[in-house]
Each structure stands twice: as structure tokens, then as C-alpha cells.
Amino acid sequence: MTMETQFERAEAALSHCEQCSVRNRAICNLLSSEEMRELAAITRHATFEPGQVILAEADSREIVGTVTAGVVKLTKALPDGRQQIVGLLFPSDFMGRLRAGESRVHAEAITRVEVCLFNAPRFRELTERYPVLKNGIYERALNDIDAAREWMVLLGRKTAEEKLATFLVMLAERAVIATCRRDATGAFMDEDGPVLLKLPMSRADMADHIGLTIETVSRQITRFKGNGLISVIGGRDLQIPDLGRLRAIAEG
Amino acid sequence: MTMETQFERAEAALSHCEQCSVRNRAICNLLSSEEMRELAAITRHATFEPGQVILAEADSREIVGTVTAGVVKLTKALPDGRQQIVGLLFPSDFMGRLRAGESRVHAEAITRVEVCLFNAPRFRELTERYPVLKNGIYERALNDIDAAREWMVLLGRKTAEEKLATFLVMLAERAVIATCRRDATGAFMDEDGPVLLKLPMSRADMADHIGLTIETVSRQITRFKGNGLISVIGGRDLQIPDLGRLRAIAEG
DNA sequence: CGCCGACTTGACCACCGTCAAACGGGGTGG
DNA sequence: CCACCCCGTTTGACGGTGGTCAAGTCGGCG
């Protein structure tokens, strides 16, 4: 490839980046426009259909990138097939890690997913040159730890009702962040008003995430409908009239 | 403080380090002896008695250091008092994180604990100058993520029997690493031979770690005794005649 | 229209949690 | 030295939450 075409590709990628919907939340936001040009030069875009495996457990390929659309589930399985979702990746989330070695989780698209994939060795080299980038990756790892630990409390100590409530609150909050709902002062809306929500996953995935069976998930949803906590529109779409009530249940 | 006394303190600390039992496993091992001298200069030692709180949840103090003896539990609690152990720190484990902000977990000594505490701002500055150190911290964060996710599978998907077996196997493996049991070729002993083990915690802590009640933990221990899987010597000391059998149960 | 997969609902029961009592070992004081 | 207490642990009896198995419903699609 000649220098020109390389440069052109980087330019094209960069303009693509400037219109990116997760621009202001993803790690690329940490870089200056000159640095971002370097990143864009080692980026390629990929799309995964629902159910498609992005990286299998024990796969040694290096996958590093940013989710720009859709939802990815990270799962671990026991030999007999029991399964646990250990993490979800939403748009703007960083995927992968700064070191080679076997994957410890199975990554799979649960909706249609779009990702910016970075060339791993070169991305690692970028993090060495730009500490702000490496710090960003580190901070995201810390957030992953916090999220995992938060979820350990849910899995180990919460009832089925609390588990479902926590899950819905989590989704609602992510939705609020993603759409950047802000009040008049510019702060994030944290009021407990009505929220419209599209469940990005099946009952089976919900069950695997909160440590229940699909039947129990379904029964709890039915109960929530009966209590007026939620109203389900078409199986996957629901409305939460009072997020505060749900939050109260989520914490016991 | 004069330069001399500062230097003397660093020298004293350094010689202390050279005899440290976790020397070859802790993060300080990543540094050259000159760099280690710098680290020693900002280190102070602390001891905590069993039950003593090292850092409370929502405490904003910065605690950064290495556990050199004993076991620390990291817990999260629900408003009504339900509690979950989200991590354990053993000798050589790194404690804390490279950023200010409120603690998201409650850290408490469960045995007598000794820690090397580093001055946080200066330690952060060290990590900026020595990338190998920052990389080490990052890798340890990744290990924390893996450990947390592994535990999520246990909490969400394993039976009481499997939970206890997994916990015991984990303890046995940590004990093997700590004592550096190696075979004739120098490799770690991974044979499933008899292991002697001292439980570092109460039944209540075990229950909070594997997401059960103390009664269920106790009953499972009794069952394991009956099956010859373990023999308990004095409540806290136990022998595992066949670690392989326990491993088989742990994975279902 | 009929099939198929996702979801819901129902009946049943097992695992584990709850509550309560008994056990045991170590420390203190008489 | 024994009696007593305290606390962690074990054991027992019982019940509820959530899992299992199975049938029924719904919605999309060929």
C-alpha cells in the first residue's frame, strides 16, 4: 500500500470518527485530533449479527476495540452447559485487553453489533506513547471490576425480585446515559420519571445474567406488570412509570 | 527531616524488602534495585488485627500497598445488612488503585494482616515514570476482573456442594503457590495429592464469600467429611486427601 | 394456514434458608 | 481444678423460594 492510500484511508476513517455517535464517551475521546488520526489509521470496522460469536473462550486471537452499536454479552460456561453472563458491552464500551493470551470469556453479539477494531500490537504501542490512553484503559478496567463486584452482590445475596429490579434499573440507567437525557441545567436527569426501554436480549439471556431460570424471570415480569411497576408493550418493549419504586426494590 | 535520615530510612526499608517473604511475587519485584530504593523510601508498614477495618466503604482515603502477611476480605453490603465478600487479598496481592475517589468496597482484616503501604501520590508518580510498574498494576487489575467473573459463575450457577468444593480448591491452590511447592523439575506441583490447609476465616465469612448461609456451609462440610473428601482436624485445619476429586466436584 | 421459536403459565418438589436447640472449646473467675 | 460463660459451630425440623418438567399461548414467517 502506498503512503497516499494509507493517508487517504486514515482521513476517511477520521471523518467517520467525527460523526461517531459514541465519539464523546469512547476511549478515542481521550486523544487529540492528531493522535486520533493515528488511531484511525489502525482501525477497521466490523459488524456482527445477533448470535454471532466475536471471540470464543480460550481463543488466543487479540481483539481490541470499541463497541459503537448494539450489545455484546460476555459469558462463561461450566462443562455441563450451565452458563453465566459475566458482563455486557454497550455502545462506547471498550472491548479486549492490552495483553496477549487466551480469552477468558466468550464474547457474542446479542443484537446487531458494530465495532471499531484496532490493530492490537499497534494499539498497544499507541498506549505506550500516549499515557492518557493507557490510563483510560486502566480506568475502564477498574470500572469493569466495580461492575463485576456489584453484580456479585446481586448473584450471591439478592432475591429473584430484587435481581430483576436491579437489572431493569441498570438497563434504564444505561439507556438514559446513552441518549444523554439532560435537564435544563445540563446535568443528567436522575429523576425517577417514566422511562421507555427496549430489552436488548431474550429471557434466556436475562436469566443467565441475573442467575435465574427463564421461568422465574418470566414470572417476576408478570408480577411486576401486576404491581404496575412496569408495562410490557410487545415482549421486548417496556415502560417504567416510576423508576424510583423499582430502585427501592432493587436495593431491598 | 535531613537528607541523611531520609536516606537511612530508605536503606533500612530496602534491607527489610530483601528479606521479604513475598519479594518475588509482589509488584516491587518489577523494579530494579535502584527503583526499589525509591519505592522503599515512600513505604511504611502497618499491622491490622483480625476484624479491624482497613478501609470503609465510601471512605475517600487513598490506600495503596502490598499485603505481606494475612488475609484481607473485600466486602459489599446491602442496606439491610446482607453482605457479600467480593474479593480476598492474600500475601503478595496488591491493594488499592491508582486514582483518588471513594472506595467502593469495605476492606477488613480477617487474620492478623501486615501491609506495606505506599504514599499514594508519590506512588502514582512512580508509576508514571516506570511504565513497567503501571503495566504491572494494570495486569493485576485484569486478574481481579478474571477472578471476579470466575466467582460470578460460582455465585450464579453452582450448587452449594460445588460452591464449597470450588472454594476449598481455590484455597488449596493459593496455599500451594504461597509455599512454592515444586516438583523435581521445578514446575509447580499440580498433582492432586494430599494437601494440608488452614482455613483463614470463619464459617460466616465462608458463607458470605460463596453466597450461602453458615448452616448450609456447615452441612456441606459435614457431608464432605462423610464422603472422605476432607478431614477436619480442629475446626479450622483440614486435610484434602485427593484434590482431584474435589476439583471434579467443583466443576460439576 | 401451519410451523417454529420465544415466552408464559401451571403443578410439583428439592434445595437451601430460617429458626431453634445442642455441642464444644477456650478463657475467666471463683 | 472445676464451674461457668461466650462464641463459633453443628445438627435438627420445617417451610419457602426458586428450579424442573410439561403444557399452553403468542407472534412471526414461510
Side-chain angles (χ1 to χ4, degrees):
Chain A
M1 190 188 294
T2 67
M3 286 302 282
E4 284 97 294
T5 57
Q6 222 178 59
F7 181 75
E8 280 160 22
R9 271 189 48 188
E11 283 305 307
L14 191 58
S15 75
H16 186 278
C17 287
E18 274 157 4
Q19 296 159 30
C20 176
S21 60
V22 300
R23 173 74 176 92
N24 56 339
R25 287 174 292 133
I27 44 159
C28 39
N29 192 39
L30 299 170
L31 301 175
S32 72
S33 52
E34 180 48 45
E35 292 158 357
M36 241 186 81
R37 184 166 285 121
E38 285 189 73
L39 181 59
I42 61 170
T43 298
R44 67 188 182 84
H45 299 273
T47 302
F48 299 90
E49 297 303 318
Q52 203 178 342
V53 175
I54 298 172
L55 188 66
E57 202 166 345
D59 193 327
S60 59
R61 274 179 304 169
E62 281 191 274
I63 299 279
V64 181
T66 294
V67 177
T68 56
V71 183
V72 176
K73 69 173 174 185
L74 307 177
T75 68
K76 291 180 74 71
L78 291 172
D80 64 6
R82 278 174 290 173
Q83 193 167 348
Q84 176 67 45
I85 294 184
V86 297
L88 292 176
L89 300 181
F90 291 91
S92 84
D93 283 349
F94 177 74
M95 185 169 70
R97 20 183 84 178
L98 291 187
R99 70 170 176 190
E102 285 195 346
S103 165
R104 324 244 105 242
V105 297
H106 173 97
E108 187 177 319
I110 56 181
T111 65
R112 189 161 204 279
V113 166
E114 288 170 32
V115 194
C116 283
L117 292 175
F118 312 131
N119 177 298
R122 297 213 200 151
F123 182 75
R124 196 161 32 236
E125 187 260 327
L126 271 192
T127 64
E128 296 299 338
R129 268 190 293 138
Y130 303 125
V132 66
L133 187 57
K134 194 192 277 183
N135 287 342
I137 305 285
Y138 173 67
E139 297 251 334
R140 273 151 203 275
L142 295 184
N143 287 339
D144 286 350
I145 293 174
D146 290 339
R149 288 176 172 171
E150 194 74 50
W151 220 251
M152 286 170 73
V153 178
L154 175 146
L155 293 171
R157 289 301 182 212
K158 288 190 180 178
T159 64
E161 183 184 41
E162 291 163 350
K163 283 176 171 181
L164 181 63
T166 308
F167 173 73
L168 293 177
V169 168
M170 181 273 289
L171 274 190
E173 281 169 354
R174 290 229 54 146
V176 168
I177 291 170
T179 55
C180 279
R181 280 173 57 182
R182 288 159 189 275
D183 62 19
T185 71
F188 281 115
M189 280 170 73
D190 202 0
E191 36 96 355
D192 300 330
V195 179
L196 283 171
L197 205 55
K198 186 173 189 62
L199 296 176
M201 60 179 73
S202 67
R203 298 286 184 272
D205 283 333
M206 290 172 60
D208 283 345
H209 195 204
I210 62 185
L212 296 172
T213 60
I214 51 175
E215 294 93 334
T216 303
V217 170
S218 185
R219 274 187 257 270
Q220 290 299 333
I221 289 176
T222 305
R223 281 194 56 203
F224 280 7
K225 281 196 286 191
N227 296 341
L229 278 164
I230 62 175
S231 48
V232 180
I233 291 137
R236 292 280 179 108
D237 292 278
L238 52 83
Q239 194 196 9
I240 304 173
D242 184 351
L243 195 52
R245 256 178 86 199
L246 214 51
R247 246 195 221 102
I249 292 173
E251 298 304 318
Chain B
M1 192 188 296
T2 68
M3 288 302 283
E4 285 98 292
T5 56
Q6 224 178 60
F7 181 74
E8 280 158 21
R9 271 188 49 187
E11 285 304 308
L14 191 58
S15 76
H16 187 276
C17 287
E18 274 154 5
Q19 296 158 30
C20 176
S21 58
V22 301
R23 172 78 177 88
N24 55 339
R25 288 174 293 134
I27 43 159
C28 39
N29 191 40
L30 300 170
L31 301 175
S32 71
S33 51
E34 179 48 45
E35 292 159 356
M36 242 187 80
R37 183 166 287 123
E38 286 189 74
L39 181 59
I42 62 169
T43 299
R44 66 188 182 85
H45 299 272
T47 303
F48 298 90
E49 297 302 319
Q52 202 178 342
V53 175
I54 298 173
L55 189 66
E57 202 166 344
D59 193 327
S60 58
R61 274 179 302 169
E62 281 193 274
I63 299 279
V64 181
T66 294
V67 177
T68 55
V71 183
V72 176
K73 69 173 174 183
L74 307 177
T75 67
K76 290 180 74 72
L78 291 171
D80 63 6
R82 278 175 290 173
Q83 193 167 353
Q84 176 67 46
I85 294 185
V86 296
L88 291 177
L89 300 180
F90 291 91
S92 84
D93 284 348
F94 178 73
M95 184 170 70
R97 22 183 82 178
L98 291 188
R99 69 171 177 188
E102 285 196 347
S103 165
R104 323 245 105 239
V105 296
H106 173 97
E108 187 177 319
I110 57 182
T111 65
R112 190 163 205 277
V113 167
E114 288 170 31
V115 195
C116 283
L117 292 175
F118 312 131
N119 176 300
R122 296 214 200 151
F123 182 76
R124 195 160 34 235
E125 187 260 327
L126 272 192
T127 65
E128 296 299 337
R129 268 191 292 138
Y130 303 124
V132 67
L133 187 56
K134 194 191 275 183
N135 287 341
I137 304 285
Y138 173 67
E139 297 251 333
R140 274 150 202 276
L142 295 184
N143 287 338
D144 285 350
I145 292 174
D146 290 339
R149 288 176 172 171
E150 194 75 51
W151 221 249
M152 285 169 74
V153 178
L154 175 145
L155 293 171
R157 288 302 181 213
K158 289 190 180 178
T159 65
E161 183 183 41
E162 292 163 350
K163 283 176 171 180
L164 181 64
T166 308
F167 173 73
L168 292 177
V169 168
M170 181 273 288
L171 273 190
E173 281 168 354
R174 291 229 55 146
V176 168
I177 291 170
T179 55
C180 279
R181 279 173 56 179
R182 288 159 189 275
D183 62 19
T185 71
F188 280 115
M189 282 170 72
D190 202 1
E191 37 97 354
D192 300 331
V195 179
L196 283 171
L197 205 56
K198 188 173 187 64
L199 296 176
M201 59 179 73
S202 67
R203 297 288 183 271
D205 283 333
M206 291 171 60
D208 283 345
H209 194 204
I210 62 186
L212 296 172
T213 59
I214 50 175
E215 293 94 333
T216 303
V217 169
S218 184
R219 274 186 256 271
Q220 290 299 333
I221 290 176
T222 305
R223 282 193 55 202
F224 280 7
K225 281 196 286 191
N227 296 341
L229 279 165
I230 61 175
S231 48
V232 180
I233 291 136
R236 292 282 178 105
D237 292 276
L238 51 84
Q239 194 196 9
I240 304 173
D242 185 351
L243 195 53
R245 256 178 86 201
L246 213 53
R247 248 196 217 101
I249 292 172
E251 297 304 317

